[in-house]
């Protein structure tokens, strides 16, 4: 059996014109609604996707198509494959990346980031190769990998509302490495070497407390802990600090830091749901309402995130905030018109979600045709048939309803826009937008701009952009950095370096990561 499959493939997925579109994620769905302004990229995309369902192409053609775009950031496949192979991802070795022709004025950080990304792609390629080899030895191995892959996608979908790849830069800190300053601190204070020991909230709190003793504050120590421990670990630190020292960590920090630096610090120590609730209440307190905050939070959170936020909303009382009403009452009192209806719809946390059964039907192995045996054999990779995640008839009907309610009528039927935007799941809306472009020769955002105004326009456009790429910096900073690099030709780390200053800059850079 030949491997790679006949025709070869490019493991560096982002070099494919299709992958350069930041809205594409890591999967093979058709979403021309978000490609209408990409020129040559769109032409290449159309050439690849002239077939209604890619996996129905002959296996050899299918392999050539998929391998050019599969491996960009698909951590779910990588983890599933390694798990079934009994491997640790860190033990998967790949060859060094050779230097390529470089763009003029491209800085070293950009070059290094590109190399690291290519190396990640090669690692995914190698895992797929090993899966294919194992499939030749064990008849049920492919199905085991597929089941593990689907399970991880379903978990990701439940947590983040998307199967698009996401990866954060601040992960749970598991064991102390020799370079961690807490190791040197404990060694000096107690004479113990904790290198390799499991993370210990008490040790971190001791180091934290020391940073705030005496004259001045050791901001670097504070930055280190906050930027290398996950949000759940920071919650443990708050509780442990009060238990160990009988004082509140946030109140203690408040006397030590100020300005933008303190704002970011305090945000890092809030659970996401509580932080969302706090920001919404601040946005509506006093005279006037900051509608942009309401839009940003309510229109970008999953059903589960909205429900969790609502469960803590009544307990939040920011300074000078007189209201203790529930979320929906606050929206009723502080907004009006179409925006109020859009926000109330979002606050229900009741958007349709992709069911795991659909996901199970949609994940299919990528096969290639072995000329020697005249058999279709697994490549070790999988693709997701997006057609099986959506209802094409409903997408077409919704596109026609939106057309009739807006562009093709005198005035706008806001009810239809709000209903469809508020109820359909991410992938159903993508297909609706795709069909809307074909029907109107105009993308959905341009139509919304023409039919709505002010904050209601902002809300619906936020939803449109969300369907293209769901972002939440706590969970997918890696993907944000990749897109930022492609769009701006500089790393996010460098942009922060040039645009921010002081401890505020240092903390943001540590959270984002240099590469």
């Amino acid at each position: 059996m030949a491997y790679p499959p006949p025709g070869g493939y490019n493991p560096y997925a982002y070099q494919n014109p299709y992958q350069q579109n930041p809205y594409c994620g890591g999967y093979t769905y058709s979403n021309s609604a978000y490609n209408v302004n990409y020129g040559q990229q769109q032409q290449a995309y159309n050439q690849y996707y002239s077939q209604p369902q890619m996996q129905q192409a002959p296996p050899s053609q299918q392999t050539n198509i998929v391998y050019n775009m599969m491996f960009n950031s698909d951590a779910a496949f990588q983890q599933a494959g390694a798990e079934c192979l009994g491997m640790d991802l860190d033990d998967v070795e790949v060859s060094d990346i050779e230097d390529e022709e470089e763009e003029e004025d491209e800085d070293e950080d950009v070059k290094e980031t590109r190399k690291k990304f290519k190396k990640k792609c090669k690692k995914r390629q190698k895992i797929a190769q090993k899966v294919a080899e194992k499939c030749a030895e064990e008849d049920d191995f492919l199905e085991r990998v597929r089941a593990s892959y689907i399970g991880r996608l379903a978990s990701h979908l439940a947590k983040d509302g998307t199967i698009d790849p996401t990866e954060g830069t601040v992960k749970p800190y598991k064991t102390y490495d020799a370079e961690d300053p807490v190791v040197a601190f404990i060694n000096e204070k107690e004479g113990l070497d904790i290198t390799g020991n499991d993370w210990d909230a008490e040790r971190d709190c001791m180091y934290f407390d020391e940073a705030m003793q005496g004259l001045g504050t050791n901001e670097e120590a504070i930055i280190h802990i906050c930027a290398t421990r996950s949000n759940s670990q920071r919650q443990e630190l708050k509780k442990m600090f009060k238990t160990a020292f009988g004082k509140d960590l946030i109140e203690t920090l408040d006397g030590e830091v100020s300005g933008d630096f303190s704002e970011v610090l305090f945000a890092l120590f809030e659970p996401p749901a509580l932080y969302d609730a706090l920001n919404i209440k601040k946005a509506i307190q006093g005279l006037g309402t900051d509608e942009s905050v309401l839009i940003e939070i309510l229109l970008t959170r999953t059903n589960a995130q909205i429900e969790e936020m609502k469960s803590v909303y009544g307990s939040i009382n920011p300074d000078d905030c007189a209201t203790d009403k529930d979320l929906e009452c606050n929206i009723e009192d502080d907004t009006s018109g179409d925006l109020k209806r859009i926000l109330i719809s979002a606050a229900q946390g009741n958007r349709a979600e992709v069911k795991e059964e659909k996901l199970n039907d949609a994940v299919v192995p990528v096969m290639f045709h072995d000329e020697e045996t005249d058999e279709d054999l697994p490549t070790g990779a999988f693709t997701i048939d997006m057609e099986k995640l959506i209802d094409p008839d409903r997408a077409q009907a919704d596109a026609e309803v939106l057309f009739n309610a807006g562009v093709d009528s005198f005035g706008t039927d806001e009810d239809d826009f709000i209903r469809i935007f508020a109820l359909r799941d991410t992938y159903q809306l993508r297909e609706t937008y795709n069909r809307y472009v074909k029907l109107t020769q105009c993308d959905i955002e341009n139509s919304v701009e023409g039919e709505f105004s002010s904050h209601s326009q902002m809300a619906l456009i936020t939803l449109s952009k969300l369907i293209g790429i769901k972002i939440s910096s706590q969970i997918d900073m890696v993907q944000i950095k990749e897109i930022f690099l492609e769009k701006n030709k500089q790393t996010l780390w460098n942009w922060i370096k040039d645009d921010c200053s002081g401890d505020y800059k240092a903390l943001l850079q540590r959270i984002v990561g240099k590469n």
Side-chain angles (χ1 to χ4, degrees), residues 287-301:
L287 296 175
T289 300
D290 190 341
E291 290 88 353
S292 64
V293 172
L294 304 183
I295 290 168
E296 178 187 344
I297 293 174
L298 291 172
L299 299 183
T300 63
R301 302 303 188 254

Side-chain angles (χ1 to χ4, degrees), residues 226-256:
C226 293
T228 58
R229 276 49 168 175
S230 68
N231 188 278
S232 61
Q233 288 177 317
R234 291 183 217 121
Q235 306 316 309
E236 289 187 54
L237 285 173
K238 283 199 301 185
K239 188 172 184 178
M240 179 62 73
F241 192 89
K242 183 173 281 191
T243 304
F245 304 112
K247 53 185 178 181
D248 186 84
L249 175 58
I250 302 304
E251 290 177 2
T252 306
L253 273 173
D254 196 26
E256 301 287 335

Side-chain angles (χ1 to χ4, degrees), residues 239-343:
K239 188 172 184 178
M240 179 62 73
F241 192 89
K242 183 173 281 191
T243 304
F245 304 112
K247 53 185 178 181
D248 186 84
L249 175 58
I250 302 304
E251 290 177 2
T252 306
L253 273 173
D254 196 26
E256 301 287 335
V257 297
S258 61
D260 292 334
F261 179 49
S262 67
E263 263 194 58
V264 177
L265 273 181
F266 299 154
L268 288 171
F269 275 101
E270 293 288 359
L274 207 63
Y275 188 64
D276 280 350
L278 178 64
N279 277 289
I280 287 180
K281 282 214 168 178
K282 284 183 175 179
I284 62 175
Q285 69 179 347
L287 296 175
T289 300
D290 190 341
E291 290 88 353
S292 64
V293 172
L294 304 183
I295 290 168
E296 178 187 344
I297 293 174
L298 291 172
L299 299 183
T300 63
R301 302 303 188 254
T302 66
N303 291 347
Q305 288 167 342
I306 288 174
E307 287 303 317
E308 187 179 3
M309 186 264 290
K310 286 161 62 177
S311 72
V312 300
Y313 189 83
S315 65
I316 299 296
N317 285 298
D319 294 343
D320 303 322
C321 184
T323 179
D324 58 358
K325 298 177 182 177
D326 66 23
L327 174 61
E328 193 169 325
C329 287
N330 284 161
I331 294 172
E332 285 273 6
D333 292 346
D334 285 81
T335 60
S336 60
D338 291 333
L339 176 64
K340 177 170 76 173
R341 297 165 61 205
I342 293 167
L343 294 178

Side-chain angles (χ1 to χ4, degrees), residues 107-114 481 484-485 488-498 512-515:
D107 65 35
E108 289 300 321
D109 287 338
V110 172
K111 296 174 190 173
E112 187 61 29
T113 299
R114 289 185 189 281
K481 287 163 61 179
F484 189 93
L485 173 63
N488 299 287
K489 306 305 179 187
Q490 68 167 325
T491 61
L492 181 54
W493 191 93
N494 264 346
W495 182 84
I496 292 170
K497 181 184 73 174
D498 295 338
V512 166
K514 190 168 186 178
N515 295 312

Side-chain angles (χ1 to χ4, degrees), residues 61-108:
Q61 295 178 31
Q62 178 188 338
T63 298
N64 292 338
I65 295 170
V66 173
Y67 262 88
N68 277 327
M69 58 192 67
M70 254 319 261
F71 297 104
N72 74 333
S73 300
D74 191 0
F77 165 73
Q78 189 176 190
Q79 292 163 355
E83 177 186 65
C84 292
L85 289 164
M87 302 172 63
D88 189 313
L89 282 178
D90 294 335
D91 295 335
V92 179
E93 297 181 356
V94 295
S95 58
D96 291 334
I97 304 298
E98 297 180 4
D99 291 331
E100 299 178 348
E101 185 175 341
E102 299 163 354
E103 295 184 20
E104 292 184 12
D105 302 324
E106 192 172 61
D107 65 35
E108 289 300 321

